[in-house]
Amino acid sequence: MTRLPVTGHCIPLVRQGTGGFSFVVGGDVAWVADSLYLPSSLGHDLTPLRTRLRAGIHYEREGFDLFYGLSWLGREFEAQREGQFVGALHLGLRF
C-alpha cells in the first residue's frame, strides 16, 4: 500500500492479480504547532488539533484498477468555519 499525499488514502502499490473489491477506512489526529503554508506571522491562528477521517473502495481486475475515496478534513485554522470533504479518484490501466 502507498498513501496519496493530499488526502491520506491508502491505495495498493503492488497488484495482487486476483481481482475483486476491497474497502479501506482510516483516520488520524495531529497536533499542529506551526505551518509553512499558514504562518502566524501573516495573522493565521492555527487550530491546535487537526483531525481527518477517510473511507474508500478499490476495484481490481487484470490490467485495470479503480479507487474512489472520500476524506473529511477538520478545520486547519480558526477563521475556517467548518471542515471540508475531499474526494480522490485513481484509475490505473496496464497495457
Side-chain angles (χ1 to χ4, degrees):
M1 302 292 277
T2 187
R3 189 174 290 275
L4 294 173
V6 175
T7 63
H9 281 287
C10 290
I11 61 171
L13 181 62
V14 177
R15 308 298 185 250
Q16 300 275 336
T18 57
F21 286 95
S22 60
F23 301 93
V24 62
V25 177
D28 60 76
V29 177
W31 174 262
V32 180
D34 195 14
S35 172
L36 177 67
Y37 302 109
L38 300 170
S40 58
S41 63
L42 294 178
H44 299 290
D45 189 15
L46 298 176
T47 304
L49 285 178
R50 184 196 73 194
T51 55
R52 295 182 177 192
L53 301 172
R54 60 188 69 86
I57 184 169
H58 180 254
Y59 175 73
E60 178 185 355
R61 68 172 216 202
E62 187 175 333
F64 171 83
D65 68 279
L66 178 67
F67 173 82
Y68 179 74
L70 188 63
S71 297
W72 176 79
L73 311 176
R75 293 175 37 213
E76 298 283 329
F77 52 95
E78 294 295 333
Q80 185 178 356
R81 290 184 288 187
E82 58 188 26
Q84 59 186 329
F85 284 95
V86 178
L89 179 66
H90 170 82
L91 173 65
L93 299 172
R94 291 172 299 285
F95 50 92

